[in-house]
Each structure stands twice: as C-alpha cells, then as structure tokens.
Amino acid sequence: MQLPRFTLAAAMAALMLVAQPEPAAAGSGAALVVGAGVSGLKAALDLATKGFTVTVLEARDGVGGRIQTESTPFGPLELGAQWIHGTDNPIWTLAGSRSWKLLPSNSESGAELEATATGAKAVTDAEAAAWDTQFAKLETYIANLQANAENSETLQSGVDKFVSTRGIAGRKKIGLDARIESNWVQEYAASPSKLSLNWFDNEPEITGEDSILAAGYTATLIHYLESALKAKGGKIVLNAPVTNIAYGTSAGVTITAGGAKYTGKFAVITLPVGVLQSGSVTFQPALPSAKAAAIKYLGMGVLNKVILGFPDSAKWATGNWIERIPLLTDAGRWREFFSLRGITGKPVIVAFTAGEAAKYPAGTTDDELVSGAVSALRGMFGAANIPDPTYSYVTRWHEDPYSLGSYSVVAPGAKGTERTALAATLNRLLYFAGEATSKTWPSTVPGAWQSGIDAATKAARDWA
Ligand SMILES: Cc1cc2nc3c(=O)[nH]c(=O)nc-3n(C[C@H](O)[C@H](O)[C@H](O)COP(=O)(O)OP(=O)(O)OC[C@H]3O[C@@H](n4cnc5c(N)ncnc54)[C@H](O)[C@@H]3O)c2cc1C
C-alpha cells in the first residue's frame, strides 16, 4: 500500500529524528508546569525567559491559586493571601521596584475583649500584660522541650505539660488559651494537636512591618506574572485539572489534564500539599518513599474568613485587630477580627477562624456564619453600632478541591526535613515548587515565589 505523501514525509522525518538525535539547544525544550498560582507562574515565566516553550496546566477557570482578590463596593478584598509579611522578602522588594502602593498594617494595634452572656468587657492592660508574660514562658518551655522531644509528639502535648506542671487554671488558663490562639492557631492555621512539637516553628523569624497591596494581590502580582508570561509566549490552559503525571515516558513527562494529554521534556509540579495528600493526582511510577513521607508529614492548615462590609454608620474599636475571648457556645469561632477601616478607610471587618474550628461541620450555611460573626461584633460594640452588613463573603478553603486547606504546616511525626524532601527533583524530570517547599518563607507568597525561581533555575541548569 502506498502511503499518502504527507504521511510518508512525516514518517521519514520521525525516522531521521530517531536515527540522528539532535542535541536540543539551550532552553529550546517544551516544559510543563502544573498549577497557575504564584509558584507556577513564576517558574513558567523564568523558564519562558530562558527560552523554553512553556505550557501551564491549571484546574481552575482562572489564575492565582490561593491568591484571589474580589472587586467589591468596598474596594479590593482578599479571599486568600492578604499581607506581605515583613520587609525582608522578595515580594516586598518587587512591590517597591514596580511601584505598587503598599499600605502599612501594624500587627500590634488593636483591642482585646472578653465575651460575656450579655455583651463583652475589655481585658485590662494589667491582665493582658500578665498573659503576655505567661505566653513568653510557654514559648521558652516549648523551645526547651524541642531539644529532646520525640518527633511523634504534638505541640498540644507540650502545652499540656506546661499547664499541668505550672498548675495553670482559671483566669490564667483563659489567658493562655487566648495567646495560643492568636500566636499559634491563627498564625499556623492549625490547632496544637495537629502541629509537630519539634518542627512546627522551624523557620526564620520575619522582620519588619506587615503591609497590604492597595490594589490587591491579583491586580498587581498575579497580573504582572500572567502578562509577562504571555508576552514571552507562555501558554496557560485553564479548566485543565491534572489527574495523572507519568514521568520517564519516551517523551519525558506525559500529563493527563481535563481529558487531554500533554508532553514535555520535564515538568514543574506546584500542587498544594492538600491536593498531593488527597491522591486526586496519580504519579507513574509512584512517588519514591522519601517524597511520599514528606507529603504525609506536611499537613495542611485551615484559615477561613468571613468578610463583612458595613454601612459607614457602623462603629467599632479603633486599631487593626480585635481579639475576642469567645463563649463556649462559639465553637472556637469569632476569636480574631481584622478591621480594614484604619488601613483603607473602608468599613470592612474580616473575621478569621483557624484550625479545627475552621473545618465547619457539614451543613453549616454562609448565613449562619455571617450572623455568628455579626452577633459577636454586636456583643462587643452594641447592636446600635453594628448594623446589618451590606456585603459578605465566606471562604471555605478546606473544601476547595484545588487546595484542600489554606497553607502547609509541619505535622506530628515529621523529622524536620520534609520541605527539602518535597522540593527534591525526581530523575531530572519532575521539579517541585510551591509554598510548602520553602524553608525560608514557608506557607507564604514569598515562599511560593522563591520556590518558582528555584525550580526553574534547577530545570534550566539540567536542560541547558
Ligand atoms: C486564607 C488564606 C490567607 C493567607 N494569607 C496569607 C498572607 O497574608 N500572606 C502570605 O504571604 N500568604 C498567605 N497565604 C498563603 C498564600 O496564599 C500561599 O502560600 C500562596 O499563594 C501559595 O502559592 P502556590 O503557588 O504555592 O500555591 P497555589 O496558589 O495554591 O497554586 C497551586 C495551583 O495549582 C492548581 N491546582 C491544584 N490542583 C490541580 C490539579 N489537579 N490540576 C491542575 N492544577 C491544580 C490550583 O488551582 C492553584 O492555582 C494565605 C492563604 C490563605 C488560603
């Protein structure tokens, strides 16, 4: 049978390629990137800049991942990342170099109130200072335990020892719980029972004041990355949930996403830890044991927001933060409120719920959560001062199939090497990035950004 001319020509070309493989020119290969969050977009941009042909596969119908800014009558409001924490990081530097307006967000400014059956009362300065001192002692106690604790121990076990050896009860216990909530549960988005005693805080301290991007993270960082990538010829495929990653195939890497197959010489994987743990993406061959253990012992914290926009007539405490000691009936919610009024001038309050309390039981409705947050505010500031909100948004990051949580934590059982093991390259075919791979700025936007740079640098070096 005679082959049609074009088929014959294609077959001959393929044979010639097999017979005489041309070494690829530096950066000329096809690179795949899984995930269009900060880490994926930054890795893709750097690879495209180095001359690779880049395709980003993203499950959602838009880019940004855990950065999602809503445009609202109250200005841009963040559903995910809110702050640039400190000044010693590449996002703060980038904001300066691109002249993105930053609004200072003093983390110390605010009020502390204690809910009562009929309303709330202010925590006195003397009691607040005593609770701060007591928490500082707990921190020292935990640091000392870390020298000898088993890796299986939880932060909660350390707290329990402190409480029992010091006989902490009554008002002191209320104060200790309040400080644990604001310093650890809200910070790491996880309850102490879900954190590794030895490794939960194994990262450098952040220095410098927090700030907020006036135009929001999406209009600045994400827009910059997306447009720069497209200008370099990078392609982003949306609505393409990856289900299988086969590495070591004849093509290099073959990825199944949204029913289609994509091939590349190598791939950068930026899947969040929650997604990696869920098994919704399979790897062929299965990930080696060191990588699987890293995924197992990095947990996913949960931080959820109830964002409320009020009429201008609403009144609450000045300052950025309102700490609230809740009632037992609050189910661990309504402990921490962030007011944007002193920062953006808009009457907006964000109620944060973290850890186990943020994994709302099935059937919990948005209305229930909004009215719970509003009732807590009315209890503190009076019903006359807190009218019905005219805007609300409830996040449920724990149920989002493409993050399954808010950001990574180090879970009990970890050895402290998990972030490095997660970042390790597999066979010069799979490069891993994402906030969970960062040892310097884990769980944050700068960590995600830097991990994208690192993965692209390693891949470009291997494939030069
Ligand atoms: C409520 C909240 C508050 C936060 N606050 C701050 C803060 O104030 N400051 C700060 O620095 N950080 C904060 N963070 C953390 C910060 O948002 C993240 O660390 C960072 O955005 C993570 O970027 P990433 O690229 O690693 O992951 P992601 O942004 O999650 O990117 C991964 C991408 O992969 C995609 N994906 C998932 N599964 C698949 C699949 N199967 N196929 C294809 N694509 C898939 C996702 O949709 C996503 O786009 C917060 C996060 C949350 C949720």
Side-chain angles (χ1 to χ4, degrees):
M1 188 182 74
Q2 194 176 1
L3 288 170
R5 280 185 65 81
F6 67 90
T7 313
L8 188 61
M12 284 177 67
L15 273 173
M16 281 173 67
L17 271 178
V18 171
Q20 293 173 306
E22 284 282 320
S28 68
L32 299 174
V33 176
V34 177
V38 176
S39 60
L41 291 174
K42 180 58 180 156
L45 173 58
D46 284 10
L47 288 167
T49 304
K50 291 173 202 289
F52 289 89
T53 306
V54 184
T55 304
V56 182
L57 302 170
E58 168 56 50
R60 299 177 200 266
D61 60 4
V63 298
R66 281 170 275 168
I67 286 181
Q68 300 286 337
T69 313
E70 279 283 295
S71 295
T72 79
F74 295 87
L77 296 175
E78 305 286 5
L79 308 184
Q82 173 92 57
W83 288 275
I84 298 176
H85 292 296
T87 52
D88 187 15
N89 70 68
I91 301 299
W92 190 84
T93 308
L94 181 74
S97 70
R98 301 200 68 82
S99 304
W100 295 334
K101 186 176 176 194
L102 290 176
L103 305 172
S105 175
N106 182 350
S107 55
E108 300 298 322
S109 109
E112 185 166 22
L113 293 107
E114 182 171 4
T116 64
T118 52
K121 59 180 186 194
V123 174
T124 65
D125 289 349
E127 195 161 44
W131 290 350
D132 288 343
T133 306
Q134 180 178 249
F135 182 72
K137 287 182 182 158
L138 172 61
E139 286 185 301
T140 307
Y141 184 86
I142 294 292
N144 288 335
L145 285 184
Q146 285 173 337
N148 296 305
E150 297 289 331
N151 280 332
S152 58
E153 288 189 53
T154 65
L155 177 59
Q156 185 63 54
S157 71
V159 171
D160 291 345
K161 280 180 200 156
F162 180 76
V163 168
S164 64
T165 54
R166 308 281 164 115
I168 291 169
R171 297 293 303 165
K172 287 185 175 176
K173 180 70 168 56
I174 288 172
L176 191 73
D177 289 345
R179 292 297 177 271
I180 288 173
E181 174 72 23
S182 56
N183 287 281
W184 288 341
V185 181
Q186 297 273 338
E187 175 88 7
Y188 293 99
S191 306
S193 61
K194 302 288 179 189
L195 291 171
S196 157
L197 172 61
N198 276 343
W199 305 109
F200 80 101
D201 58 351
N202 185 31
E203 71 237 359
E205 217 160 276
I206 290 169
T207 55
E209 190 169 37
D210 290 352
S211 50
I212 288 176
L213 287 154
Y217 257 122
T218 299
T220 52
L221 180 62
I222 298 301
H223 175 72
Y224 156 69
L225 284 171
E226 183 184 17
S227 48
L229 173 61
K230 287 185 173 163
K232 300 267 178 211
K235 196 172 154 202
I236 302 172
V237 186
L238 299 176
N239 301 303
V242 169
T243 48
N244 184 261
I245 298 172
Y247 56 109
T249 62
S250 56
V253 177
T254 301
I255 295 184
T256 311
K261 285 203 190 302
Y262 300 83
T263 56
K265 284 184 170 174
F266 62 88
V268 178
I269 312 298
T270 75
L271 294 167
V273 164
V275 174
L276 288 167
Q277 287 181 334
S278 75
S280 62
V281 179
T282 49
F283 288 83
Q284 271 177 291
L287 293 174
S289 57
K291 187 76 79 181
I295 292 167
K296 180 173 176 188
Y297 292 115
L298 284 171
M300 199 66 174
V302 180
L303 179 69
N304 273 320
K305 304 182 183 184
V306 175
I307 307 172
L308 303 168
F310 289 97
D312 281 336
S313 59
K315 287 197 196 96
W316 55 78
T318 54
N320 299 340
W321 288 96
I322 302 155
E323 306 283 342
R324 174 177 177 270
I325 296 170
L327 298 170
L328 283 178
T329 49
D330 286 324
R333 299 170 197 160
W334 326 131
R335 286 167 166 266
E336 200 151 286
F337 296 82
F338 175 65
S339 166
L340 279 161
R341 199 174 226 168
I343 297 172
T344 64
K346 306 285 184 194
V348 173
I349 284 196
V350 183
F352 285 97
T353 300
E356 295 308 286
K359 299 172 188 170
Y360 307 128
T364 309
T365 63
D366 285 3
D367 283 352
E368 208 178 307
L369 292 165
V370 168
S371 77
V374 169
S375 298
L377 288 167
R378 286 184 176 150
M380 290 188 285
F381 305 113
N385 289 323
I386 305 291
D388 287 340
T390 54
Y391 170 88
S392 65
Y393 197 106
V394 172
T395 71
R396 293 172 185 270
W397 286 101
H398 58 302
E399 290 171 354
D400 181 326
Y402 302 123
S403 63
L404 291 169
S406 300
Y407 40 84
S408 64
V409 297
V410 186
K415 293 188 293 187
T417 52
E418 285 69 19
R419 296 194 188 281
T420 305
L422 185 62
T425 304
L426 289 184
N427 306 347
R428 292 170 75 235
L429 290 170
L430 296 189
Y431 298 83
F432 287 79
E435 54 83 8
T437 64
S438 170
K439 281 171 65 188
T440 314
W441 301 289
S443 318
T444 66
V445 175
W449 166 275
Q450 186 61 46
S451 74
I453 296 175
D454 294 345
T457 304
K458 282 190 237 172
R461 193 181 53 215
D462 286 351
W463 291 92

